[in-house]
């Protein structure tokens, strides 16, 4: 059985857990208590030397980084609906994984770190501007479609979802992005969806 190491308030841990649920894959949840620096313990650093959650262990496979884990899970346990094989379709999904690690991290995720966790070395004005930029783009992109790409959800939607849905934790209101709000509700209606605190 897959072991998923994570923390319940980590959006990156949650997106992996959510994908496992959407794929209906059994797994064991192992809490890594970030508040007690468990992610810096020798045992955990042996799994991920960067000391970050999430990490999965699947037999002999040990893999860190939420986006990389989702690619692995979609290919290993899902099908082309979640991660296409055709080159252009695959590139479109990967673009959103990059956006997640770039603009969404710099915007809504960092704003949440600042306001919700008290991480003081974040330029909050810059984070709020980045959040406005990416949410405006997302809202326009979703104005004529149900999902980020294609006529179905993919790991692109799962990757982008948590920190956008948690934007209010970063004192970012979503009301002026109605297409984003509607998309959040569609994700919540997917079979197998599980919530986390704040969503």
């Amino acid at each position: 059985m897959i072991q998923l190491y994570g923390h319940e308030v980590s959006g990156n841990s949650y997106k992996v857990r959510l994908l496992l649920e959407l794929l209906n894959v059994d797994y064991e949840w192992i809490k890594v208590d970030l508040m007690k620096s468990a992610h810096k313990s020798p045992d955990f650093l042996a799994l991920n030397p960067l000391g970050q959650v999430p990490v999965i262990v699947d037999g002999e496979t040990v893999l860190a980084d939420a986006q990389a884990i989702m690619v692995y899970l979609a290919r290993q346990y899902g099908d082309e609906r979640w991660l296409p094989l055709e080159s252009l379709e695959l590139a479109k999904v990967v673009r959103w994984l990059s956006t997640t690690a770039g603009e969404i991290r710099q915007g809504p995720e960092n704003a949440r770190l600042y306001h919700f966790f008290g991480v003081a070395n974040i330029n909050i004005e810059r984070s709020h501007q980045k959040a406005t930029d990416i949410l405006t783009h997302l809202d326009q992109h979703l104005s004529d479609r149900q999902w980020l790409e294609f006529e179905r959800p993919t790991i692109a939607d799962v990757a982008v979802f948590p920190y956008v849905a948690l934007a209010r934790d970063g004192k970012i209101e979503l009301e002026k992005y109605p297409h984003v709000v509607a998309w959040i509700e569609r994700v919540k209606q997917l079979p197998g969806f599980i919530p986390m605190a704040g969503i």
Side-chain angles (χ1 to χ4, degrees):
M1 182 184 294
I2 292 174
Q3 295 174 311
L4 169 58
Y5 292 79
H7 193 276
E8 63 270 10
V9 297
S10 160
N12 284 313
S13 298
Y14 167 68
K15 69 177 68 169
V16 173
R17 195 172 192 178
L18 176 57
L19 181 59
L20 285 163
E21 295 284 349
L22 295 173
L23 294 174
N24 196 28
V25 174
D26 289 335
Y27 64 96
E28 177 188 3
W29 170 257
I30 300 173
K31 178 178 178 176
V32 179
D33 195 338
L34 304 180
M35 310 313 169
K36 294 183 178 177
S37 298
H39 57 305
K40 301 300 182 184
S41 71
D43 286 347
F44 188 77
L45 290 173
L47 295 174
N48 182 6
L50 293 177
Q52 299 168 342
V53 293
V55 173
I56 64 163
V57 178
D58 187 12
E60 298 299 312
T61 300
V62 179
L63 192 59
D65 182 81
Q67 278 62 247
I69 292 169
M70 287 193 301
V71 168
Y72 170 81
L73 292 174
R75 184 60 70 237
Q76 188 76 0
Y77 296 100
D79 55 35
E80 287 190 54
R81 289 177 301 168
W82 291 99
L83 183 61
L85 289 173
E86 190 275 321
S87 56
L88 180 57
E89 290 189 349
L90 175 60
K92 288 180 177 181
V93 171
V94 170
R95 180 177 75 100
W96 289 107
L97 302 186
S98 296
T99 300
T100 298
E103 290 83 353
I104 289 172
R105 178 170 178 77
Q106 296 161 16
E109 183 177 350
N110 275 352
R112 182 173 183 257
L113 285 171
Y114 181 89
H115 288 291
F116 195 75
F117 293 102
V119 178
N121 64 344
I122 288 173
N123 182 331
I124 191 59
E125 290 79 15
R126 182 175 184 272
S127 295
H128 278 176
Q129 184 57 57
K130 288 280 189 181
T132 297
D133 293 345
I134 189 57
L135 288 170
T136 299
H137 170 70
L138 267 178
D139 202 60
Q140 292 169 348
H141 182 75
L142 288 163
S143 64
D144 62 353
R145 65 186 71 217
Q146 299 286 297
W147 304 102
L148 293 181
E149 296 295 340
F150 324 124
E151 298 301 315
R152 66 185 189 277
T154 66
I155 64 169
D157 298 277
V158 182
V160 170
F161 174 75
Y163 288 110
V164 171
L166 290 165
R168 291 182 182 91
D169 284 351
K171 303 202 180 301
I172 297 162
E173 294 305 322
L174 293 174
E175 283 69 22
K176 56 184 171 181
Y177 309 108
H179 304 297
V180 171
V181 171
W183 168 76
I184 289 170
E185 292 306 312
R186 283 192 291 277
V187 174
K188 289 181 178 181
Q189 298 306 311
L190 290 173
F193 176 84
I194 55 167
M196 73 169 279
I199 297 179

